[in-house]
Amino acid sequence: MAAGGAAPLRVLELYSGVGGMHQALRESCVPAQVVAAIDVNTVANEVYRFNFPHTPLLAKTIEGIPLQVFDRWSFDMLVMSPPCQPFTRLDPGPHPGPHPGPHVSPTTCSHVPSLCCPHGDPPAPELDLSTRAQPSGLHLCCCVTCSVGLAPSASATRIGRQGDVADPRTNSFLYVLDVLPRLQKLPKYILLENVKGFEVSSTRDLLVQTIENCGFQYQEFLLSPASLGIPNSRLRYFLIAKLQSEPLSFQAPGQVLMEFPKTGSRNPQNCAIDAGKKIEAKKIEPSILCDNTQCSGKEAILFKLETAKEINRKHQQDSDLSVQMLRDFLEDDVDRKQYFLPPKLLLRYALLLDIVKPTCRRSTCFTKGYGSYIEGTGSVLQVAEDVQIENIYKSLPNLSQEEKITKLLMLKLRYFTPREIANLLGFPPEFDEW
């Protein structure tokens, strides 16, 4: 890339959200200039403009940009995170009850539709963050990977439609693939991020076919923040491509790498998924999504709807010393009262919560519904570290509702704050306007 006295790379940022790709570029220390950022989400654009005030930001659809404008930008690098819903494995369904807590604003992910509860109580007014943007989709290359996605029970979710190329939300990306070969000057580099599931889509096949025809060498990845020592699981697809005839030094043809390439590594295939087996892996994948819900069916439930296998997995994660503890990402001065889960929600959804302590080295994927929905939207923090969660939950079946609430309140469960989620997604302290 640009080195020495070379001119800075000219970068085009599509689906820019709050600027995760831009922040990644900044932290890479590669001399670069974002010539234009494009997104239709007005909330995300406010955050982007606050943090990158000198970058041209266009609030318009990509399909409405003519080829001549793309040529005028004359960009060396294309970074993008196209709409993920056409490829996602699970869609959060409408929540069967009142909003379960403080209302948290729309996320940075401009391509995730708003989750509006069609019934139930309005969001709690004491924590209206509607003027801020809560991050739920930072892109990996920012010193954090952009968890295993959602892990809700089937009762409150539906399998993602995965409309792929037939989904209208794919249209803008298909337009990009149409424009790319017709550019007067091809970019030297491409970086794309999306959800797990994109790697087995027809849209991915069109992408690969297009860049191969244009002369790019490329490599695909499935990576999570835990790969970088960050205690969060958020498995995401990445593709990097370079315009050159020689293969990349870490290139594994037909493979999806599951970890970052190591300098000097000659066998990247050791940690890869065979592209020919991706469809089969996809068919058995739903079993991996189970977290704290009763989805195995045959395994004995120990407590909190968790099996011995699930509890053992969490213990293994918490024993991984290569991953930092959550306490390193928490705010010191937090008004905890506004983030505590209210008694009504504790009683109703206690068995569905993914509970972590500050000493844990794991947390589940935070989604746009976090703070407004309970199932599968992210972990909650147990402030009372000395209280044994197993003892609390095993005592619940024989208690009255009032006694159950008293027991559950002993855990002092609270939501993570927007700033803490931003920390887990790799945003630096100076990145503001949440």
Side-chain angles (χ1 to χ4, degrees):
M1 295 192 183
L9 290 173
R10 295 175 58 83
V11 180
L12 176 61
E13 186 179 13
L14 303 181
Y15 315 99
S16 52
V18 300
M21 291 284 193
H22 195 151
Q23 182 63 33
L25 196 62
R26 174 183 286 177
E27 297 199 12
S28 73
C29 297
V30 172
Q33 173 194 4
V34 178
V35 295
I38 304 168
D39 204 299
V40 296
N41 187 297
T42 55
V43 175
N45 284 346
E46 288 180 10
V47 180
Y48 191 105
R49 190 173 288 109
F50 180 87
N51 289 282
F52 307 104
H54 304 299
T55 298
L57 178 60
L58 284 68
K60 62 187 304 180
T61 60
I62 293 172
E63 305 97 303
I65 303 174
L67 174 63
Q68 293 78 3
V69 175
F70 282 98
D71 281 330
R72 195 178 308 144
W73 282 322
S74 186
F75 50 96
D76 306 300
M77 176 185 290
L78 176 62
V79 296
M80 51 184 166
S81 180
C84 59
Q85 300 94 332
F87 320 106
T88 191
R89 296 162 293 170
L90 290 176
D91 283 338
H95 199 278
H99 289 266
H103 176 62
V104 178
S105 72
T107 67
T108 67
C109 219
S110 61
H111 35 40
V112 178
S114 177
L115 294 174
C116 298
C117 188
H119 52 272
D121 300 331
E126 67 272 14
L127 187 61
D128 185 3
L129 303 181
S130 57
T131 59
R132 303 178 184 180
Q134 172 185 325
S136 83
L138 171 67
H139 314 290
L140 169 135
C141 62
C142 169
C143 82
V144 63
T145 64
C146 264
S147 139
V148 165
L150 307 178
S153 69
S155 63
T157 62
R158 58 186 181 275
I159 298 298
R161 294 196 179 102
Q162 295 179 306
D164 205 343
V165 292
D167 192 312
R169 290 168 291 192
T170 313
N171 290 346
S172 61
F173 182 62
L174 297 179
Y175 178 71
V176 173
L177 296 184
D178 175 68
V179 165
L180 185 62
R182 298 189 288 127
L183 292 172
Q184 291 181 357
K185 185 194 77 172
L186 288 171
K188 298 176 182 177
Y189 309 99
I190 296 175
L191 169 60
L192 178 142
E193 178 268 347
N194 214 282
V195 295
K196 177 169 172 55
F198 184 89
E199 77 280 6
V200 293
S201 68
S202 298
T203 305
R204 173 266 176 196
D205 295 340
L206 288 172
L207 166 65
V208 168
Q209 179 182 347
T210 300
I211 62 176
E212 284 181 341
N213 290 342
C214 289
F216 285 88
Q217 298 289 336
Y218 68 94
Q219 181 58 55
E220 299 169 283
F221 299 85
L222 282 172
L223 301 168
S224 185
S227 304
L228 293 168
I230 297 172
N232 184 251
S233 298
R234 191 179 182 88
L235 195 61
R236 289 297 182 266
Y237 169 90
F238 293 88
L239 177 141
I240 57 175
K242 185 177 181 180
L243 189 63
Q244 62 181 33
S245 56
E246 306 83 12
L248 303 172
S249 60
F250 50 83
Q251 192 165 330
Q255 306 286 321
V256 180
L257 299 185
M258 300 297 292
E259 65 177 32
F260 288 102
K262 294 180 173 60
T263 304
S265 174
R266 297 183 179 181
N267 297 298
Q269 296 90 339
N270 290 343
C271 297
I273 298 176
D274 188 278
K277 298 180 180 178
K278 287 186 294 185
I279 298 297
E280 287 74 9
K282 182 182 179 183
K283 292 178 180 177
I284 63 173
E285 194 172 30
S287 63
I288 301 175
L289 296 179
C290 301
D291 186 14
N292 56 5
T293 56
Q294 187 175 3
C295 54
S296 61
K298 297 181 180 179
E299 295 185 66
I301 301 299
L302 300 184
F303 70 94
K304 198 176 164 290
L305 297 185
E306 292 188 337
T307 64
K309 181 179 179 180
E310 291 160 350
I311 293 173
N312 181 62
R313 173 179 59 80
K314 292 184 177 183
H315 285 167
Q316 288 181 340
Q317 288 178 300
D318 289 335
S319 301
D320 186 354
L321 300 182
S322 69
V323 179
Q324 294 176 262
M325 290 185 181
L326 282 169
R327 64 160 46 113
D328 297 332
F329 298 82
L330 302 179
E331 292 188 272
D332 295 326
D333 186 19
V334 178
D335 180 8
R336 295 176 177 176
K337 292 182 180 180
Q338 66 173 331
Y339 292 101
F340 278 128
L341 275 67
K344 183 178 179 180
L345 295 177
L346 285 175
L347 185 62
R348 184 172 182 181
Y349 300 108
L351 299 180
L352 305 177
L353 298 169
D354 181 77
I355 301 173
V356 294
K357 295 181 180 181
T359 53
C360 286
R361 302 176 188 272
R362 60 180 175 83
S363 59
T364 59
C365 174
F366 294 99
T367 73
K368 183 172 184 175
Y370 190 70
S372 294
Y373 301 86
I374 288 290
E375 288 189 74
T377 59
S379 302
V380 295
L381 186 68
Q382 178 184 337
V383 178
E385 297 184 62
D386 57 333
V387 179
Q388 294 299 314
I389 184 173
E390 182 174 351
N391 294 339
I392 296 292
Y393 274 87
K394 284 187 175 181
S395 69
L396 296 180
N398 301 321
L399 301 178
S400 66
Q401 287 197 354
E402 291 75 14
E403 291 172 326
K404 288 179 180 178
I405 290 175
T406 299
K407 281 285 188 180
L408 291 169
L409 287 173
M410 292 174 62
L411 295 171
K412 296 185 178 179
L413 301 179
R414 73 165 176 86
Y415 293 102
F416 284 81
T417 70
R419 180 66 255 175
E420 290 168 344
I421 296 173
N423 293 340
L424 286 167
L425 295 178
F427 284 106
E430 63 271 18
F431 201 99
D432 210 346
E433 273 299 288
W434 303 116

